[in-house]
Amino acid sequence: MRLAILVADVNPNELNHEQVFESLKKANLSMVECAELTAATLQDVPTETAAYVKFACQRNWTEAEDVRLQKVYDAADFILNLGRPGPGEEGETRAHDRANMTAFDSSFKFFFTRPERFALRPDHVATTAVIGELGNELGMGRLINCVKENVEYGEDIGCNVPADLTLVATTANWGAWGLSAMLTLLSTAAGEKTSAESLLPDVLSQKLILKTLVEEGARCGLTWTRDEIIDRFESEENWKFLNELRQLTFSFLKSIQGQNSATGHRSHGERVGY
């Protein structure tokens, strides 16, 4: 499994993604920029390193960008949207407070709405997934009615574009940590050699990432303040959740490893039902 991150510039004069990624590197994240991403180049990226690819903003989009995005889609088996908003029933993309963000849309949304636009192989369809918390995230369309009924401004902000898989979380960060925990358990159950520590982050690493980003100018997405908080949750609440998740995950791991030992060694990649 290899990770690629796609980034679309909003306004090169206002948002410096290079600064963001350099900040993440300062926090000891292993990242490498790729001019373009193909199945071949992705195989050359170490599993512990995230590859990132930068694309032009929507108003500067060209056919050349379409070609680059086609190559990304061709290399991908699984596409995950982590928090990026998507269009609602009126075709407009809105933030949590109903602010219109349609001008910041990117062609990434077509991975969910028109995948055939990027398919270089007729038989290749990448699975799409979303981790959402408010319901305005691209891919949350299967829950649009629930969002309208239960979320503040849900009638206005709800995204009606569905993904194949929907993960709902208190915050996108918590959902991503939960997904990491699930991958940890599945890889162990399947006999993979990947260590749990390489998949499920620890509190110290996450503290360093948050601290570094805030020092470099990052702000909370809801309060817009430069504080070490995540979607209004104080940092200690986040670390408490992550610690509890790790404890639960490692408890399950011991159980899985005990079952593997009791039934004998399984070959690498052999499927196990859990």
Side-chain angles (χ1 to χ4, degrees):
M1 180 182 66
R2 287 172 172 80
L3 173 66
I5 303 170
L6 307 187
V7 180
D9 279 330
V10 176
N11 185 333
N13 297 322
E14 297 176 0
L15 189 61
N16 186 346
H17 283 118
E18 192 64 37
Q19 180 183 2
V20 173
F21 284 109
E22 287 305 315
S23 299
L24 292 174
K25 290 176 184 177
K26 288 180 184 177
N28 298 327
L29 287 183
S30 180
M31 309 184 75
V32 60
E33 181 179 357
C34 297
E36 65 177 29
L37 200 64
T38 65
T41 57
L42 194 56
Q43 286 298 318
D44 292 334
V45 177
T47 54
E48 68 275 8
T49 300
Y52 66 93
V53 191
K54 293 188 291 187
F55 289 87
C57 59
Q58 190 67 38
R59 66 175 175 274
N60 294 330
W61 198 267
T62 64
E63 289 185 5
E65 298 290 84
D66 262 351
V67 172
R68 293 176 66 222
L69 208 53
Q70 280 181 322
K71 293 178 180 178
V72 170
Y73 188 84
D74 192 56
D77 295 313
F78 183 81
I79 296 172
L80 172 66
N81 176 38
L82 184 60
R84 186 181 185 91
E89 293 176 335
E90 302 299 323
E92 295 181 333
T93 299
R94 295 191 176 272
H96 68 282
D97 58 359
R98 296 185 291 187
N100 195 323
M101 300 179 64
T102 308
F104 302 142
D105 274 353
S106 81
S107 291
F108 300 161
K109 66 183 178 184
F110 295 124
F111 283 162
F112 291 75
T113 61
R114 291 174 53 199
E116 69 279 359
R117 172 175 173 175
F118 299 104
L120 297 177
R121 293 171 286 154
D123 59 338
H124 176 66
V125 179
T127 300
T128 57
V130 58
I131 295 178
E133 56 187 81
L134 288 175
N136 66 333
E137 296 88 358
L138 180 65
M140 290 289 283
R142 296 188 188 279
L143 299 179
I144 184 68
N145 291 330
C146 182
V147 171
K148 288 180 178 180
E149 294 173 5
N150 297 284
V151 176
E152 185 178 17
Y153 307 135
E155 288 278 353
D156 300 311
I157 71 172
C159 175
N160 73 330
V161 177
D164 296 317
L165 303 171
T166 305
L167 290 80
V168 180
T170 303
T171 75
N173 298 61
W174 292 19
W177 292 335
L179 180 59
S180 297
M182 182 186 72
L183 291 173
T184 298
L185 296 174
L186 289 176
S187 64
T188 301
E192 298 285 347
K193 302 302 182 183
T194 306
S195 70
E197 290 293 342
S198 68
L199 287 175
L200 186 58
D202 58 35
V203 169
L204 287 178
S205 69
Q206 300 304 289
K207 280 185 175 181
L208 180 58
I209 290 171
L210 182 58
K211 181 176 184 294
T212 304
L213 287 174
V214 171
E215 287 176 349
E216 295 292 333
R219 298 175 182 270
C220 172
L222 294 181
T223 66
W224 205 239
T225 57
R226 284 185 59 185
D227 298 309
E228 291 184 26
I229 59 178
I230 301 173
D231 291 344
R232 292 200 182 104
F233 282 88
E234 296 293 335
S235 57
E236 289 309 313
E237 293 181 84
N238 290 283
W239 313 145
K240 180 176 182 291
F241 171 82
L242 181 53
N243 265 326
E244 292 176 350
L245 178 64
R246 285 175 59 84
Q247 291 172 10
L248 183 62
T249 302
F250 285 110
S251 175
F252 276 121
L253 278 178
K254 288 181 180 179
S255 175
I256 292 173
Q257 290 164 346
Q259 291 182 42
N260 285 352
S261 298
T263 56
H265 176 71
R266 290 187 173 88
S267 61
H268 176 73
E270 183 180 344
R271 293 187 177 182
V272 183
Y274 284 93

